Amino acid sequence: MTMIQYLSAFRLYGADVLFLALGVSACTSLLKKTLLKNCAKKAYVFLPFALGIAFYAVYRAIATLSPAPFTTELAATAEGGFACGCAATLYYVVYEQFFRSRGNLPPVAELLAGIVPEEKLAEAAKTLTEGGAKKSEEELLRFVTETLSRYADPPLTRTELALYTKTIAEFLETTR
């Protein structure tokens, strides 16, 4: 998607939802790095929506000075909260696509992003790039297998390890 498409998607939401979504996005990011860092990655998909509903319910309760958002107006609260979650997810996608910089990581880091934890990504990419530079094809396969076994979290199955090893080794050979 282009930046214009993202901006037109943001037009769907009101100012209150967009402002709350900033808080939801920041809170989601903070929770992912602290309390929920050991949580399954799939749970992170639902986190902005759960937080969006909670933030929106509290906001509506304060704005109306009544408990109605938690009782009689549950459908409107869920709808507004879901909109907050959608906008927070859009903020995250825009950030990842247009603003986030992974620094000067070697290109192989993109292949490692799904199997190596973020905090070890730079180290693993550097190890593979530098260590695999002057190896024969057989040595490179062995080296990549050992390196992936060491850095992958959660550990890969034999089949996954073989597939990733072949892909990464071929990538390293073509980028020498």
Short mmCIF file of all heavy atoms in Angstrom, two decimals, residues 72-102:
data_model
loop_
_atom_site.label_atom_id
_atom_site.label_comp_id
_atom_site.label_asym_id
_atom_site.label_seq_id
_atom_site.Cartn_x
_atom_site.Cartn_y
_atom_site.Cartn_z
N THR A 72 -25.30 -0.63 29.05
CA THR A 72 -26.31 -0.56 28.00
C THR A 72 -25.76 -0.24 26.61
O THR A 72 -26.42 -0.49 25.61
CB THR A 72 -27.38 0.50 28.35
OG1 THR A 72 -26.74 1.76 28.51
CG2 THR A 72 -28.12 0.12 29.62
N GLU A 73 -24.56 0.32 26.55
CA GLU A 73 -24.00 0.71 25.25
C GLU A 73 -22.82 -0.19 24.86
O GLU A 73 -21.85 0.28 24.25
CB GLU A 73 -23.55 2.18 25.31
CG GLU A 73 -24.68 3.15 25.56
CD GLU A 73 -24.19 4.58 25.71
OE1 GLU A 73 -22.97 4.83 25.62
OE2 GLU A 73 -25.04 5.45 25.92
N LEU A 74 -22.92 -1.46 25.17
CA LEU A 74 -21.82 -2.38 24.88
C LEU A 74 -21.52 -2.49 23.39
O LEU A 74 -20.36 -2.58 23.00
CB LEU A 74 -22.12 -3.78 25.45
CG LEU A 74 -21.80 -3.96 26.93
CD1 LEU A 74 -22.22 -5.34 27.39
CD2 LEU A 74 -20.33 -3.75 27.20
N ALA A 75 -22.55 -2.50 22.56
CA ALA A 75 -22.32 -2.63 21.11
C ALA A 75 -21.56 -1.41 20.57
O ALA A 75 -20.61 -1.57 19.80
CB ALA A 75 -23.65 -2.79 20.38
N ALA A 76 -21.95 -0.22 21.00
CA ALA A 76 -21.26 0.99 20.55
C ALA A 76 -19.83 1.03 21.09
O ALA A 76 -18.90 1.45 20.40
CB ALA A 76 -22.03 2.23 21.00
N THR A 77 -19.66 0.56 22.31
CA THR A 77 -18.32 0.51 22.91
C THR A 77 -17.43 -0.47 22.15
O THR A 77 -16.27 -0.17 21.83
CB THR A 77 -18.40 0.10 24.39
OG1 THR A 77 -19.19 1.07 25.09
CG2 THR A 77 -17.03 0.02 25.02
N ALA A 78 -17.97 -1.64 21.83
CA ALA A 78 -17.19 -2.64 21.08
C ALA A 78 -16.85 -2.12 19.69
O ALA A 78 -15.73 -2.31 19.20
CB ALA A 78 -17.97 -3.94 20.99
N GLU A 79 -17.79 -1.44 19.05
CA GLU A 79 -17.54 -0.89 17.72
C GLU A 79 -16.45 0.18 17.75
O GLU A 79 -15.52 0.16 16.94
CB GLU A 79 -18.83 -0.29 17.16
CG GLU A 79 -18.69 0.28 15.77
CD GLU A 79 -19.98 0.90 15.26
OE1 GLU A 79 -21.05 0.64 15.83
OE2 GLU A 79 -19.90 1.66 14.28
N GLY A 80 -16.54 1.09 18.70
CA GLY A 80 -15.52 2.13 18.83
C GLY A 80 -14.16 1.55 19.22
O GLY A 80 -13.12 1.98 18.73
N GLY A 81 -14.18 0.55 20.10
CA GLY A 81 -12.94 -0.10 20.51
C GLY A 81 -12.29 -0.87 19.38
O GLY A 81 -11.06 -0.86 19.23
N PHE A 82 -13.11 -1.50 18.56
CA PHE A 82 -12.58 -2.21 17.40
C PHE A 82 -11.96 -1.22 16.42
O PHE A 82 -10.91 -1.48 15.85
CB PHE A 82 -13.69 -3.02 16.72
CG PHE A 82 -13.20 -3.92 15.64
CD1 PHE A 82 -12.57 -5.12 15.94
CD2 PHE A 82 -13.33 -3.56 14.30
CE1 PHE A 82 -12.10 -5.95 14.93
CE2 PHE A 82 -12.86 -4.38 13.29
CZ PHE A 82 -12.24 -5.58 13.61
N ALA A 83 -12.60 -0.07 16.25
CA ALA A 83 -12.05 0.98 15.38
C ALA A 83 -10.70 1.46 15.93
O ALA A 83 -9.76 1.68 15.17
CB ALA A 83 -13.03 2.15 15.27
N CYS A 84 -10.59 1.59 17.26
CA CYS A 84 -9.30 1.97 17.87
C CYS A 84 -8.24 0.92 17.56
O CYS A 84 -7.09 1.25 17.24
CB CYS A 84 -9.44 2.11 19.38
SG CYS A 84 -10.19 3.63 19.92
N GLY A 85 -8.61 -0.35 17.68
CA GLY A 85 -7.66 -1.43 17.37
C GLY A 85 -7.23 -1.42 15.92
O GLY A 85 -6.06 -1.62 15.60
N CYS A 86 -8.19 -1.16 15.02
CA CYS A 86 -7.86 -1.08 13.59
C CYS A 86 -6.92 0.08 13.31
O CYS A 86 -5.92 -0.08 12.59
CB CYS A 86 -9.13 -0.91 12.76
SG CYS A 86 -10.15 -2.37 12.66
N ALA A 87 -7.21 1.24 13.88
CA ALA A 87 -6.35 2.40 13.67
C ALA A 87 -4.97 2.17 14.28
O ALA A 87 -3.95 2.55 13.68
CB ALA A 87 -7.00 3.65 14.26
N ALA A 88 -4.90 1.54 15.45
CA ALA A 88 -3.61 1.25 16.07
C ALA A 88 -2.80 0.30 15.20
O ALA A 88 -1.59 0.45 15.04
CB ALA A 88 -3.81 0.65 17.46
N THR A 89 -3.47 -0.67 14.61
CA THR A 89 -2.79 -1.61 13.71
C THR A 89 -2.29 -0.87 12.47
O THR A 89 -1.17 -1.12 12.00
CB THR A 89 -3.74 -2.76 13.32
OG1 THR A 89 -4.17 -3.41 14.52
CG2 THR A 89 -3.06 -3.76 12.42
N LEU A 90 -3.09 0.05 11.94
CA LEU A 90 -2.65 0.86 10.80
C LEU A 90 -1.44 1.72 11.17
O LEU A 90 -0.50 1.84 10.38
CB LEU A 90 -3.78 1.75 10.30
CG LEU A 90 -4.73 1.11 9.31
CD1 LEU A 90 -5.90 2.04 9.03
CD2 LEU A 90 -4.03 0.73 8.03
N TYR A 91 -1.45 2.30 12.36
CA TYR A 91 -0.28 3.07 12.81
C TYR A 91 0.97 2.20 12.80
O TYR A 91 2.03 2.60 12.34
CB TYR A 91 -0.47 3.61 14.24
CG TYR A 91 -1.36 4.81 14.37
CD1 TYR A 91 -2.20 4.93 15.48
CD2 TYR A 91 -1.37 5.84 13.44
CE1 TYR A 91 -3.01 6.04 15.64
CE2 TYR A 91 -2.19 6.94 13.59
CZ TYR A 91 -3.00 7.04 14.69
OH TYR A 91 -3.80 8.13 14.85
N TYR A 92 0.83 0.98 13.32
CA TYR A 92 1.97 0.07 13.40
C TYR A 92 2.48 -0.30 12.00
O TYR A 92 3.67 -0.31 11.75
CB TYR A 92 1.57 -1.19 14.16
CG TYR A 92 2.64 -2.24 14.21
CD1 TYR A 92 3.74 -2.08 15.03
CD2 TYR A 92 2.57 -3.38 13.41
CE1 TYR A 92 4.75 -3.03 15.07
CE2 TYR A 92 3.57 -4.33 13.44
CZ TYR A 92 4.66 -4.14 14.28
OH TYR A 92 5.65 -5.08 14.30
N VAL A 93 1.56 -0.58 11.10
CA VAL A 93 1.95 -0.95 9.73
C VAL A 93 2.65 0.21 9.03
O VAL A 93 3.67 0.02 8.37
CB VAL A 93 0.72 -1.44 8.93
CG1 VAL A 93 1.05 -1.58 7.46
CG2 VAL A 93 0.21 -2.75 9.49
N VAL A 94 2.12 1.42 9.19
CA VAL A 94 2.75 2.59 8.59
C VAL A 94 4.15 2.77 9.16
O VAL A 94 5.11 3.02 8.42
CB VAL A 94 1.89 3.86 8.80
CG1 VAL A 94 2.66 5.12 8.47
CG2 VAL A 94 0.62 3.78 7.97
N TYR A 95 4.28 2.63 10.47
CA TYR A 95 5.60 2.75 11.12
C TYR A 95 6.58 1.72 10.57
O TYR A 95 7.70 2.05 10.20
CB TYR A 95 5.44 2.60 12.63
CG TYR A 95 6.75 2.40 13.35
CD1 TYR A 95 7.64 3.44 13.53
CD2 TYR A 95 7.09 1.14 13.85
CE1 TYR A 95 8.85 3.25 14.18
CE2 TYR A 95 8.29 0.94 14.51
CZ TYR A 95 9.16 2.00 14.67
OH TYR A 95 10.35 1.80 15.31
N GLU A 96 6.15 0.47 10.51
CA GLU A 96 7.02 -0.60 10.02
C GLU A 96 7.42 -0.39 8.57
O GLU A 96 8.56 -0.62 8.19
CB GLU A 96 6.34 -1.97 10.16
CG GLU A 96 6.30 -2.51 11.56
CD GLU A 96 7.66 -2.93 12.06
OE1 GLU A 96 8.45 -3.52 11.31
OE2 GLU A 96 7.92 -2.67 13.25
N GLN A 97 6.47 0.03 7.75
CA GLN A 97 6.74 0.13 6.32
C GLN A 97 7.53 1.38 5.95
O GLN A 97 8.38 1.32 5.07
CB GLN A 97 5.44 0.09 5.53
CG GLN A 97 5.67 0.04 4.04
CD GLN A 97 4.41 -0.23 3.26
OE1 GLN A 97 3.35 -0.42 3.83
NE2 GLN A 97 4.52 -0.27 1.96
N PHE A 98 7.25 2.49 6.61
CA PHE A 98 7.84 3.74 6.15
C PHE A 98 8.90 4.34 7.06
O PHE A 98 9.73 5.11 6.61
CB PHE A 98 6.74 4.80 5.93
CG PHE A 98 5.80 4.44 4.83
CD1 PHE A 98 4.51 4.00 5.10
CD2 PHE A 98 6.20 4.52 3.50
CE1 PHE A 98 3.64 3.67 4.08
CE2 PHE A 98 5.33 4.19 2.47
CZ PHE A 98 4.05 3.76 2.77
N PHE A 99 8.88 4.04 8.35
CA PHE A 99 9.75 4.75 9.27
C PHE A 99 10.76 3.91 10.02
O PHE A 99 11.79 4.42 10.44
CB PHE A 99 8.91 5.53 10.30
CG PHE A 99 8.00 6.52 9.66
CD1 PHE A 99 6.64 6.29 9.62
CD2 PHE A 99 8.49 7.67 9.08
CE1 PHE A 99 5.79 7.19 9.02
CE2 PHE A 99 7.65 8.58 8.47
CZ PHE A 99 6.29 8.34 8.45
N ARG A 100 10.49 2.66 10.22
CA ARG A 100 11.38 1.83 11.02
C ARG A 100 12.65 1.51 10.24
O ARG A 100 12.60 1.08 9.10
CB ARG A 100 10.72 0.52 11.43
CG ARG A 100 11.61 -0.28 12.34
CD ARG A 100 10.89 -1.45 12.89
NE ARG A 100 11.77 -2.17 13.78
CZ ARG A 100 11.62 -3.41 14.10
NH1 ARG A 100 10.61 -4.09 13.63
NH2 ARG A 100 12.46 -4.00 14.90
N SER A 101 13.74 1.70 10.90
CA SER A 101 15.03 1.40 10.29
C SER A 101 15.70 0.30 11.10
O SER A 101 15.79 0.40 12.31
CB SER A 101 15.91 2.64 10.28
OG SER A 101 17.23 2.30 9.91
N ARG A 102 16.13 -0.71 10.45
CA ARG A 102 16.84 -1.78 11.15
C ARG A 102 18.34 -1.51 11.15
O ARG A 102 19.13 -2.40 11.41
CB ARG A 102 16.55 -3.12 10.48
CG ARG A 102 15.13 -3.58 10.65
CD ARG A 102 15.00 -5.00 10.14
NE ARG A 102 13.63 -5.43 10.18
CZ ARG A 102 13.19 -6.40 10.96
NH1 ARG A 102 14.00 -7.02 11.75
NH2 ARG A 102 11.94 -6.75 10.94
#
